[in-house]
Amino acid sequence: MQYPEPIAKLIDSYMKLPGIGNKTATRLAFYTLDMDETDVKDFSKALQATKDDLHFCSICGNITEADPCEICTDKTRDQSQILVVEQPKDVMVMERMHEYHGLYHVLQGVLSPIEGKGPEEINIKSLIKRLQDNPAVKEVIVATNATPEGEATAMYLSRLIKPAGIKVTRLAHGLSVGADIEYADEMTLFKAVEGRTEL
């Protein structure tokens, strides 16, 4: 027996989300069917608002309602540092920490030849222009993930930026707090040794 078309379409829509298979999509679709009509309308409005009201900041590439975003227009932030991240969600994570007070630049991805993502497909050109236009920037902190693509992107950015006399640093990677050495893989241990600090 086939599902009625509205449910089938809803299941297909949920399956477009990352990590959602057929069973989970079906469960979500039937959960949505049981939801209060007001909640469904609010959910629908929230989905539409994310597409209608949000866009990327013309300076840093973060998601924002106003352009430029509130971080780029905040003159109290340290204008000498730019922290480069892969995605807007990474900015949110850093901001929750309340320890970094500089500026950001969102790449909207990483270099990945397998996926056909070269320097032109991610937000690198605007970073270079930003550095050329702003002599106050003294350090670029590369905070891409510790994946092969993230490491390749970090090295590429370093080669582009260093000749301009701007310090390029990388977030330390390695053992997480509370982790046992015996369970760490070789790359994690290598990064932990490489990023060691003096006591």
Side-chain angles (χ1 to χ4, degrees):
M1 179 181 162
Q2 289 188 330
Y3 292 118
E5 189 176 351
I7 285 284
K9 283 184 175 178
L10 188 56
I11 291 169
D12 286 343
S13 295
Y14 277 126
M15 284 179 61
K16 290 177 182 171
L17 297 172
I20 304 290
N22 190 19
K23 283 184 180 180
T24 303
T26 302
R27 194 167 55 248
L28 289 170
F30 279 95
Y31 178 82
T32 305
L33 186 64
D34 290 337
M35 285 171 65
D36 182 84
E37 190 172 340
T38 305
D39 291 339
V40 172
K41 285 182 179 173
D42 288 345
F43 182 59
S44 174
K45 285 179 190 172
L47 281 174
Q48 194 60 50
T50 60
K51 297 306 284 181
D52 294 342
D53 301 339
L54 294 176
H55 48 275
F56 296 115
C57 174
S58 59
I59 297 173
C60 72
N62 193 17
I63 52 172
T64 181
E65 290 180 83
D67 191 21
C69 72
E70 63 182 46
I71 294 174
C72 288
T73 55
D74 185 352
K75 297 302 177 195
T76 65
R77 296 190 78 99
D78 184 350
Q79 305 291 308
S80 70
Q81 290 183 327
I82 295 179
L83 187 116
V84 178
V85 296
E86 292 182 17
Q87 300 293 342
K89 62 185 175 183
D90 301 329
V91 173
M92 308 305 171
V93 171
M94 293 299 294
E95 284 296 288
R96 276 200 307 268
M97 199 176 55
H98 301 294
E99 292 297 323
Y100 175 73
H101 305 291
L103 302 172
Y104 293 95
H105 193 85
V106 182
L107 294 174
Q108 308 297 343
V110 286
L111 298 175
S112 177
I114 293 171
E115 294 177 13
K117 282 191 176 180
E120 297 298 318
E121 282 71 44
I122 61 176
N123 197 16
I124 291 178
K125 193 182 288 185
S126 64
L127 173 62
I128 301 307
K129 181 171 180 357
R130 191 174 173 192
L131 296 174
Q132 291 167 344
D133 294 346
N134 189 355
V137 178
K138 304 297 181 210
E139 180 182 12
V140 171
I141 305 163
V142 181
T144 52
N145 293 325
T147 60
E149 295 83 6
E151 294 295 330
T153 304
M155 294 305 298
Y156 181 81
L157 289 174
S158 179
R159 284 196 299 269
L160 275 181
I161 296 166
K162 275 188 177 178
I166 297 170
K167 181 179 178 184
V168 180
T169 57
R170 181 97 167 98
L171 283 189
H173 296 288
L175 293 172
S176 56
V177 175
D180 290 334
I181 289 176
E182 65 181 298
Y183 300 118
D185 60 83
E186 289 174 14
M187 182 55 107
T188 301
L189 287 173
F190 172 74
K191 289 293 183 184
V193 171
E194 189 180 54
R196 68 192 184 278
T197 57
E198 188 174 341
L199 294 175

